[in-house]
Amino acid sequence: MEPRLKAKNECSKCMINQDVFERIQGKVLTAPERVNKRGTKPCLFGKGGTCCHVCNMGPCQIVEGVEELRGICGATAATVAARNFGRMVAAGTSAHSDHGRGIAEVFYHTVHGETEDFEIKDEKKLRMVAYYFGLDYKKPVKELAKEVAVNALEEFGKQHGELAFIKRAPEKRQQRWRELGVVPRGVDREVVEMLHRTTVGVDQDYRSLLKASVRCALADGWGGSMLATELQDILFGTPQPLRAVVNLGVLKEDMVNVTVHGHEPEVAEALAIAAQDPEIIKEAEKVGAKGINLAGICCTGNEVLMRRGIPIAGSFVQQELALATGAVEAMVVDVQCIMQNVATVASAYHTAVITVSDKAEIEGAMHIPFDHKHPVESAKKVLREAISRFPKRDKNLVYIPPNKMDVVAGFSHETILYILGGRFRASYKPLNENIINGRILGVAAIVGCDNFRVFEKTHAELAKELIANNILVVVTGCAATSIAREGLLSPEAASLAGDSLREVLEAVGCPPVLHMGSCVDNSRILIALTEMVNAGGLGEDLDDLPAIGCAPEWMSEKAVAIGNYFVGSGACVVFGPNFPTEKSQIATDYLFHEFYHIFGAPWVVARNASEFANIMIDKIKEKRKNLGIDK
Ligand code: XCC
């Protein structure tokens, strides 16, 4: 049967840089074409969560309510869907948290004087983290930093007690978690337990499995991810608003272009330092380039955009296209969301794909191991490889599209505190007052991936609809890049906001959509929401707030972990365009309805931008009504 989708002109992802996409067609197979070739529907056997493959009597295709189509062991569709859901949460949690552990190790090396390349950039945050670890936070910085490093690493392997950052949540939420028995112990322990529960013949009650998945996810949000964000801020600086540029047009014809792709900022930070080294610049000049142009992709890009204003070349769906410009000398990749196909695309050009993590190598890529004790030295090695490729660039193959967009990024929760909370009051009170008086209807987070199987521009359309309804929008991850490309991350975009939101935004000069960072930085949103509760007037717990989250184009298992920790924390999450358990009505109902009673927030699914917008606006209005501020 002819596939329905014509990638060339129907897929919104190909349209982002259609001119570049057309140049690579016929040369190397790319993701939109694979979607085309495979047909528009993903594997029907596995979709919806009821394919069980945890033992070798299967895989079993399970059909809800059909006795003969239970697993060989008797597993029901609800059990299998819950088990698969739990495994996705565990995988997502492990990814964010291993990232967190990696940065804790860099932090440890730095404060123990084993690397001279990095330093403590945010002493205030160091002391705040020390406080939550129960340390004497007034100690001299050097001594305190060493204790924080040890404590941070111990959070991963802790066997008993509670993760330290759990204490940052509103008091009422903490109590609820304790009563439910879902307070995470050590991060690793929760991931291991989730994997154990979901092996054949262990936890076989969907309710118990799904409740346990929240404990695991909380270890991500309030543990691994939050540790990653805070330690990165201490080491590389807490983001502040800055101007930058996004889209493939940020690549430069006369420079050595190096894209940094993946998630962990350590390598990109080291590359940024090395790229300014006069010796390296001279070497670039020797081969006829004007210098090194760094550009980000995916969340490594978001990390260095937030802190350094380094431009973003593209989101997840643009990674192959960045190479297809023929202008990239090296794509440096660390971990997560790197498509194996980048090595194939690069082989059609002079480009090197360079893996640097000891956890992630790619067939056909070059591996330059990163020495964490000498990051800048390693970065120079990588840059020298890139420089050596510049003379091999084939000018006939180079095409850098003109598309680029100005953005303002760098909205850490601390920054929002100052901007929307007032420089002198340093509280979210003024933000709350604007919500109470109705100028701002509520707050919505649009997070997560972009996805080749979503053929609409869901992110931007949704963001426009929300701000037009006076909802302040915060964004992270590839959703942020996708919305940035459409110009919504600039103060001028305030003109698209509803009248009352626009007034507030114009008074403080900020965009209607606030970029809060990478995917581990969703932890910033948890803290911002907690600060809103603490500022008063909007209830006593996160589930009281007129706030909601969504991931309209989720792709990675990490998005499931993120969604689950938000729901477990009391914030409703809308997922789309499909839901991972949807072939089991029973498991899905539990997540969509029973979770509301247990955690105060449900999961919801929506298929397109207008469905997302309607659900989100209605939920926010419902919360306002509950708070008695719906007048
Ligand atoms: Fe990956 Fe973070 Fe998703 Fe983008 S948003 S596709 S996970 S890079 Ni995290």
Side-chain angles (χ1 to χ4, degrees), residues 202-266:
V202 188
D203 197 354
Q204 289 161 100
D205 183 325
Y206 66 95
R207 294 161 294 198
S208 163
L209 282 159
L210 293 175
K211 204 175 100 181
S213 77
V214 171
R215 190 179 204 177
C216 183
L218 293 176
D220 177 354
W222 298 87
S225 280
M226 199 171 278
L227 280 161
T229 297
E230 302 300 32
L231 295 177
Q232 285 166 182
D233 280 358
I234 295 172
L235 218 44
F236 306 133
T238 300
Q240 291 180 357
L242 39 73
R243 285 196 175 267
V245 191
V246 300
N247 213 342
L248 294 187
V250 305
L251 298 173
K252 301 226 160 81
E253 198 133 2
D254 51 4
M255 295 180 91
V256 174
N257 290 304
V258 177
T259 58
V260 286
H261 177 10
H263 281 76
E264 299 175 345
E266 179 203 3

Side-chain angles (χ1 to χ4, degrees), residues 162 171-183 211 598:
E162 300 182 350
E171 196 60 47
K172 217 173 150 187
R173 181 61 35 181
Q174 294 181 42
Q175 274 170 23
R176 190 189 286 228
W177 286 336
R178 287 187 192 111
E179 281 159 21
L180 290 166
V182 296
V183 178
K211 204 175 100 181
I598 303 173

Side-chain angles (χ1 to χ4, degrees), residues 123-317:
E123 188 186 315
K124 199 170 159 204
K125 189 162 270 203
L126 173 78
R127 295 192 185 281
M128 182 276 292
V129 168
Y131 168 79
Y132 284 107
F133 283 158
L135 301 170
D136 173 9
Y137 61 91
K138 291 186 179 145
K139 273 189 182 166
V141 177
K142 277 196 171 167
E143 204 182 321
L144 188 62
K146 286 183 183 164
E147 290 179 24
V148 166
V150 172
N151 275 262
L153 282 166
E154 281 174 356
E155 287 293 284
F156 294 91
K158 217 188 222 176
Q159 297 304 316
H160 306 287
E162 300 182 350
L163 284 179
F165 288 160
I166 289 297
K167 292 196 287 288
R168 300 177 78 178
E171 196 60 47
K172 217 173 150 187
R173 181 61 35 181
Q174 294 181 42
Q175 274 170 23
R176 190 189 286 228
W177 286 336
R178 287 187 192 111
E179 281 159 21
L180 290 166
V182 296
V183 178
R185 296 151 291 186
V187 177
D188 297 350
R189 177 157 192 182
E190 300 311 338
V191 173
V192 168
E193 186 177 303
M194 197 66 232
L195 288 174
H196 177 198
R197 274 174 186 268
T198 52
T199 49
V200 59
V202 188
D203 197 354
Q204 289 161 100
D205 183 325
Y206 66 95
R207 294 161 294 198
S208 163
L209 282 159
L210 293 175
K211 204 175 100 181
S213 77
V214 171
R215 190 179 204 177
C216 183
L218 293 176
D220 177 354
W222 298 87
S225 280
M226 199 171 278
L227 280 161
T229 297
E230 302 300 32
L231 295 177
Q232 285 166 182
D233 280 358
I234 295 172
L235 218 44
F236 306 133
T238 300
Q240 291 180 357
L242 39 73
R243 285 196 175 267
V245 191
V246 300
N247 213 342
L248 294 187
V250 305
L251 298 173
K252 301 226 160 81
E253 198 133 2
D254 51 4
M255 295 180 91
V256 174
N257 290 304
V258 177
T259 58
V260 286
H261 177 10
H263 281 76
E264 299 175 345
E266 179 203 3
V267 175
E269 285 284 335
L271 285 167
I273 297 169
Q276 284 162 9
D277 187 306
E279 196 188 334
I280 289 287
I281 295 173
K282 216 184 258 167
E283 288 176 36
E285 286 168 349
K286 250 193 215 155
V287 296
K290 284 199 176 141
I292 311 277
N293 179 39
L294 284 186
I297 294 188
C298 282
C299 279
T300 300
N302 283 322
E303 295 282 0
V304 286
L305 168 85
M306 290 285 285
R307 298 195 180 87
R308 289 181 173 265
I310 287 176
I312 291 212
S315 59
F316 174 77
V317 297

Side-chain angles (χ1 to χ4, degrees), residues 262-263 298-299 316 336-337 448-450 477-479 519 555-556 558 562:
H263 281 76
C298 282
C299 279
F316 174 77
Q336 302 168 23
C337 298
C449 324
D450 45 9
C478 291
C519 293
M555 176 279 299
S556 164
K558 292 176 285 173
I562 293 168

